[in-house]
Amino acid sequence: MTDPLLERLSAPTESGSPVDLLPRVVDRWLRAPGPLGEVEVVVGVDGVRYLRPSDASGSVREEYRRRYGRPVVAAGEGDVPAGLLPALRDGSRRRPPVDLSACSDFERAVLTVTAGIPAGELRPYGWVAREAGRPAAVRAVGTVLARNPVPLLVPCHRVSRGDGTLGQYMFGTTAKASLLAAEGADVAGLAAHAGAGTVLVGSDTTGIVCLPSCRHARRITAAHREGFRSARAAAAAGYRGCRVCRPF
DNA sequence: TTTACGGCTGACA
DNA sequence: GTGTCAGCCGTAA
């Protein structure tokens, strides 16, 4: 550490008591293996603040400083948050703490809703907007997710377009599909539903409709499965929405 | 304060 | 079925 400001922040005070201000104003940066290749991660005392694909030129740290106005130093051995490596290896594991305090209320709401989408399942942008309390802000949800500070940890790859197609992704659509496949999603089957215009899948024995990727939708036997092109069509047919995936 | 811009959607030709 | 377009809405410049 050569920055004089950082040295002063970490120095003992005149009264002799150590100041632990340093970790509160300076974040830690590290590289870690991710499901799509190496990633760079910035960690603060309250959790992971930023994550991006590795870039040898140092642009990730530069982008972080510019976006959040906070200095970054290399992390030490003990600075890797518990749960980070398993979460990056397998999206279904328990996540490390994530610090979204630099986000706006709307961004935090969108990211929090997104974080609750189960592994291997998809929810539409409009669904996220509704669950975040701003049903009309569908487009804005896309904007927030495009800037997701912690992709993979907040699984924005599990958000799809309303017609069932995958939509765009920070790391590319192919990466989105492969992440979902690794989580157990039937990507080809979901694409087939979307291609057929089927947005919802119901069971004629229960009268319940689900989003096609919902764990309950997968259990409907072929003989009793009925596809719908819209929530309105499903409701008109007397179906109610699944309480797990809440399609409408 | 204003404007432009998106990981979108639904309607309409 | 497939384009196109206007509308929507939070951000950043």
Side-chain angles (χ1 to χ4, degrees), chain A residues 93-173:
Chain A
R93 301 290 184 87
R94 196 167 60 81
R95 279 183 284 269
V98 166
D99 179 4
L100 302 177
S101 59
C103 298
S104 69
D105 289 347
F106 178 69
E107 288 172 324
R108 204 157 33 243
V110 167
L111 295 170
T112 301
V113 165
T114 303
I117 302 173
E121 298 190 23
L122 287 161
R123 301 289 182 267
Y125 288 93
W127 182 94
V128 175
R130 193 191 73 210
E131 295 277 320
R134 307 283 183 86
V138 183
R139 197 68 176 72
V141 166
T143 302
V144 169
L145 295 183
R147 289 170 37 87
N148 180 2
V150 285
L152 303 174
L153 301 179
V154 168
C156 54
H157 58 280
R158 296 179 194 151
V159 182
S160 61
R161 296 180 51 134
D163 63 4
T165 57
L166 289 187
Q168 302 208 62
Y169 184 49
M170 188 184 292
F171 303 156
T173 307

Side-chain angles (χ1 to χ4, degrees), chain A residues 24-48:
Chain A
R24 300 215 74 90
V25 295
V26 179
D27 297 321
R28 308 281 159 169
W29 162 87
L30 58 100
R31 293 181 192 276
L36 303 166
E38 189 179 74
V39 295
E40 296 182 38
V41 184
V42 179
V43 181
V45 286
D46 294 320
V48 178

Side-chain angles (χ1 to χ4, degrees), chain A residues 1 26-30 41 61 65 71-77 79:
Chain A
M1 189 189 303
V26 179
D27 297 321
R28 308 281 159 169
W29 162 87
L30 58 100
V41 184
R61 278 165 287 175
R65 287 192 194 96
V72 182
V73 298
E77 286 289 320
D79 291 326

Side-chain angles (χ1 to χ4, degrees), chain A residues 117-123 158 180 183 185 213-215 218 245:
Chain A
I117 302 173
E121 298 190 23
L122 287 161
R123 301 289 182 267
R158 296 179 194 151
L180 290 166
E183 294 177 357
S213 67
C214 174
R215 74 192 79 135
R218 301 185 209 183
C245 63

